[in-house]
Amino acid sequence: MVKLSDLSSEQRRLLSEQTIELPSWAFGNAGTRFKVFTTEGVPRDPFEKVADAAQVHRYTGITPRVSLHIPWDETPDFGELREYAKEQGVALGTINSNVFQDDDYKFGSLTNSDPKVRQKAIDAHLHCIDVMNQTGSETLKIWLGDGTNYPGQDSINARQDRLADALQTIYKALSDEQRLLLEYKFFEPAFYSTDVPDWGTSLLHVLALGERAVVCLDTGHHAPGTNIEFIVNQLLRAGRLGAFDFNSRFYADDDLMVGAADPFQLFRIMNEIIQYGALDKDSGVNFMLDQCHQLEEKVPAEIRSALNVQEATAKALIIDTEALAAAQESHDVLAANGVLMDAFYTDVRPLLAELREEQGLDPNPVEAFMRSGYLEKIREERVGGTQASWGA
Ligand code: PSV
Ligand code: MN
């Protein structure tokens, strides 16, 4: 068993300074195209989402920011929301643009052949930048549902040209302190070609934009079997890994709790991050969750997810790097792999419980939250109105 006192001061610092950003939409109802089940007490507006996110931070101590999705989190006065978040002990983080739900975007948004629709999608991003100026957010995250369903439906090349032009316009509207994060996804909603399907396409676009443009890696956005930690390394080497959207998947973009489907993959990703020195809070890599909770209670599910990332981080931090280097040097394949597996199989939960107690937190955040009465309170208070939902 590893104890807190076994960690070096550097390992301890990295662990205590780690933060994870929460998605506002994780607190709303979610489902599939078959059915969205409702849950009692679900937030009806961005203020209630922020209140729920603040609960996650209260019990984990590692989730101090909430990411907003526009227009899902549209509100008349973002200054007021910013103040409210501060009172709740959290800050507003990344602003996500949404140009995938209006009827106008049926044939694409930034890549649409109709200049009026393209302009509408650009304006939606300019509005997001305006929101960022009010919320104090530093990052604009763009994910596009753009693509085609049938070969010949549109010119792949023309769509790339339109995309590059539109991204330039958006990038230029950002201030020197703000950055653009371009997310990729291999398919869905488009089935034949997607305009930003992979890290290569995203990287080429951000390289063309400039230094403040970076790539967002959503762990659910790759074909099964993809070696995601290899991509992590490539993006780090290029200096363009801007953020993660963490979640886990069994099939496609399942958006399940990170670390639930494949904790070993999460450990391998965190290992690449740590080996590269990118866990440091100044590394420019933002660790975010992008999840939807269909069946499970949302606040404790976000707590569990944050803890899963923290556990994978702690396991990766305790890898015996000297033994690993020696085994690698001598081409001892079994020993090298053994060093990694030893760390992966180590139970770091007692160590993290110790860390929490030292920070004045309950050692078991999920249980402490469930005991707090918060769920009962919101179920009683949040009656009437329209519950927030993915797609609302
Ligand atoms: C798209 O599937 C995505 O991963 C993007 O990050 C969106 O903003 C988010 O999901 C919406 O749930
Ligand atoms: Mn995502």
Side-chain angles (χ1 to χ4, degrees):
M1 199 180 86
V2 212
K3 294 192 298 294
L4 197 55
S5 52
D6 296 328
L7 297 188
S8 69
S9 57
E10 180 62 358
Q11 288 169 320
R12 220 173 148 130
R13 179 185 73 78
L14 286 168
L15 211 46
S16 3
E17 289 180 0
Q18 179 180 32
T19 63
I20 297 155
E21 186 165 323
L22 304 178
S24 67
W25 55 100
F27 300 95
N29 285 322
T32 63
R33 67 182 191 277
F34 299 100
K35 169 77 181 162
V36 175
F37 293 102
T38 55
T39 304
E40 270 185 291
V42 153
R44 286 126 348 137
D45 59 40
F47 288 82
E48 291 179 348
K49 290 183 196 174
V50 165
D52 286 4
Q55 287 294 310
V56 179
H57 186 47
R58 192 157 301 162
Y59 289 93
T60 63
I62 57 169
T63 59
R65 294 180 306 283
V66 193
S67 186
L68 302 181
H69 220 296
I70 305 297
W72 295 340
D73 294 320
E74 201 62 71
T75 187
D77 183 354
F78 280 98
E80 200 189 325
L81 186 63
R82 181 183 186 167
E83 268 313 300
Y84 179 74
K86 202 168 154 195
E87 282 163 26
Q88 296 288 309
V90 291
L92 301 178
T94 303
I95 300 298
N96 296 256
S97 64
N98 181 333
V99 287
F100 48 86
Q101 290 185 305
D102 282 14
D103 284 340
D104 283 338
Y105 300 136
K106 185 171 179 180
F107 297 111
S109 61
L110 297 180
T111 63
N112 199 304
S113 55
D114 181 341
K116 283 203 293 299
V117 178
R118 273 204 315 278
Q119 191 56 51
K120 173 176 165 165
I122 290 173
D123 289 345
H125 285 89
L126 299 182
H127 170 63
C128 286
I129 296 174
D130 191 39
V131 171
M132 289 165 72
N133 295 336
Q134 296 174 58
T135 54
S137 307
E138 287 167 4
T139 309
L140 171 66
K141 186 170 126 218
I142 305 180
W143 171 75
L144 302 171
D146 293 24
T148 66
N149 274 359
Y150 295 99
Q153 182 188 321
D154 197 1
S155 154
I156 290 177
N157 191 53
R159 292 178 78 89
Q160 288 299 306
D161 282 345
R162 293 175 208 133
L163 176 61
D165 280 357
L167 288 175
Q168 279 286 354
T169 309
I170 296 164
Y171 184 72
K172 281 192 192 128
L174 292 167
S175 77
D176 290 348
E177 285 72 47
Q178 295 170 336
R179 59 183 200 157
L180 186 153
L181 195 55
L182 185 60
E183 181 174 352
Y184 60 91
K185 169 161 156 169
F186 72 133
F187 88 108
E188 193 195 38
F191 294 118
Y192 164 60
S193 71
T194 295
D195 294 317
V196 189
D198 50 30
W199 67 275
T201 309
S202 180
L203 181 62
L204 288 173
H205 278 288
V206 301
L207 287 172
L209 290 173
E211 271 178 10
R212 288 175 295 101
V214 279
V215 177
C216 176
L217 187 161
D218 184 312
T219 47
H221 289 187
H222 310 85
T226 302
N227 182 336
I228 295 178
E229 58 273 25
F230 184 85
I231 300 172
V232 169
N233 174 262
Q234 292 301 311
L235 289 173
L236 286 171
R237 288 172 62 84
R240 299 291 172 142
L241 180 59
F244 283 98
D245 267 7
F246 276 134
N247 49 59
S248 68
R249 55 79 71 80
F250 289 98
Y251 296 99
D253 189 18
D254 304 350
D255 279 343
L256 299 172
M257 290 187 292
V258 58
D262 191 347
F264 185 43
Q265 179 186 66
L266 183 59
F267 162 79
R268 298 190 314 258
I269 290 173
M270 293 316 298
N271 176 38
E272 286 311 316
I273 288 288
I274 290 163
Q275 297 316 314
Y276 207 85
L279 183 59
D280 207 288
K281 62 179 175 3
D282 301 322
S283 72
V285 182
N286 190 15
F287 300 88
M288 304 191 275
L289 304 184
D290 177 7
Q291 306 186 150
C292 294
H293 307 295
Q294 303 179 25
L295 309 175
E296 62 278 21
E297 273 295 344
K298 296 149 203 328
V299 178
E302 288 287 292
I303 295 178
R304 170 71 61 77
S305 307
L307 302 184
N308 286 352
V309 177
Q310 196 182 29
E311 281 167 27
T313 307
K315 283 169 187 260
L317 270 171
I318 59 165
I319 291 172
D320 185 342
T321 46
E322 273 177 34
L324 183 63
Q328 288 174 349
E329 185 75 15
S330 59
H331 296 159
D332 191 337
V333 177
L334 284 182
N337 179 243
V339 171
L340 241 68
M341 298 318 290
D342 277 349
F344 176 65
Y345 285 123
T346 304
D347 188 357
V348 293
R349 289 173 298 184
L351 176 158
L352 292 170
E354 256 190 274
L355 180 70
R356 271 176 219 118
E357 275 181 317
E358 201 184 81
Q359 293 167 339
L361 297 168
D362 192 288
N364 188 330
V366 175
E367 277 180 15
F369 170 76
M370 293 308 278
R371 275 197 315 266
S372 72
Y374 185 82
L375 284 180
E376 292 75 10
K377 183 170 145 298
I378 58 174
R379 282 176 197 149
E380 217 167 275
E381 283 174 8
R382 295 178 185 169
V383 178
T386 309
Q387 292 192 329
S389 193
W390 193 105

